Amino acid sequence: MPDLQFIIHPLDPIFDEHSKVLVLGTMPSPESREAGFYYGHPQNRFWRVMAQLFDEPLARSNDARRSQMLAHGVALWDVLAQCEIIGASDASIRNPKPNDLNPILNAASIRAIFCTGAKSFDLYRQLCESATGRKAIKLPSTSAANAAKRLPDLVAEYRAILPYLA
């Protein structure tokens, strides 16, 4: 089993002044950090969910993924700026420190904040909600570890994003 590692979030947020929805994970997985982009584990279904949600082909490169998110008004980042974690196990997170979400919230007209998974939602409520003054909406994790949710189920639940993008 991997050891507890101290991780400083290595990825810049994805957003522009047209972003309407902020989607927050917890902390990039080792595979995402290696790929240099969000939801980089090949078994993570986030990009497949987004492609189906927007009725578009699956974006495969980091540039295509960034462009797809920005074209649809979706900002991406994570709740945590740093923490101690074992591998990609959200359950192992210790000593979490939050990202300052205000640069995104001040630059864009964010209508809703969504958290991907229970841990990001719980950490947002504990560490970010008072600073932002905004509630978040919990979505299911797209991780392969969330095997109880099939791809069509995830797409159906992620449709909650669409009204905020209209």
Side-chain angles (χ1 to χ4, degrees):
M1 182 169 190
D3 292 330
L4 193 67
Q5 287 185 296
F6 174 72
I7 303 295
I8 295 174
H9 197 294
L11 306 177
D12 290 332
I14 306 300
F15 74 100
D16 65 18
E17 67 274 10
H18 305 293
S19 298
K20 296 179 178 106
V21 164
L22 174 57
V23 176
L24 298 170
T26 308
M27 174 62 79
S29 69
E31 292 83 358
S32 294
R33 295 192 304 269
E34 186 176 316
F37 209 71
Y38 298 91
Y39 307 100
H41 191 289
Q43 300 306 313
N44 192 299
R45 297 165 292 175
F46 182 83
W47 297 111
R48 286 178 273 165
V49 168
M50 291 293 116
Q52 289 190 26
L53 197 64
F54 299 132
D55 194 24
E56 293 180 354
L58 179 62
R60 297 198 178 271
S61 73
N62 292 349
D63 286 342
R65 290 171 173 174
R66 176 188 314 277
S67 294
Q68 185 180 54
M69 293 300 95
L70 293 177
H72 289 284
V74 177
L76 294 179
W77 209 15
D78 289 305
V79 172
L80 298 182
Q82 65 185 49
C83 68
E84 294 173 349
I85 188 170
I86 298 171
S89 171
D90 281 356
S92 72
I93 289 174
R94 304 286 179 267
N95 301 312
K97 302 285 187 273
N99 270 317
D100 177 5
L101 303 177
N102 285 311
I104 297 173
L105 298 176
N106 292 336
S109 297
I110 299 296
R111 298 173 180 168
I113 298 171
F114 291 88
C115 293
T116 60
K119 189 66 170 189
S120 67
F121 181 73
D122 291 344
L123 287 167
Y124 177 87
R125 285 188 4 211
Q126 293 167 20
L127 303 173
C128 300
E129 191 174 280
S130 63
T132 65
R134 295 167 169 230
K135 302 265 185 209
I137 300 164
K138 181 170 61 171
L139 292 171
S141 171
T142 55
S143 167
N146 185 13
K149 293 284 184 183
R150 298 171 322 141
L151 184 61
D153 301 327
L154 291 170
V155 172
E157 292 197 46
Y158 274 66
R159 287 196 191 288
I161 292 172
L162 294 177
Y164 297 97
L165 298 176

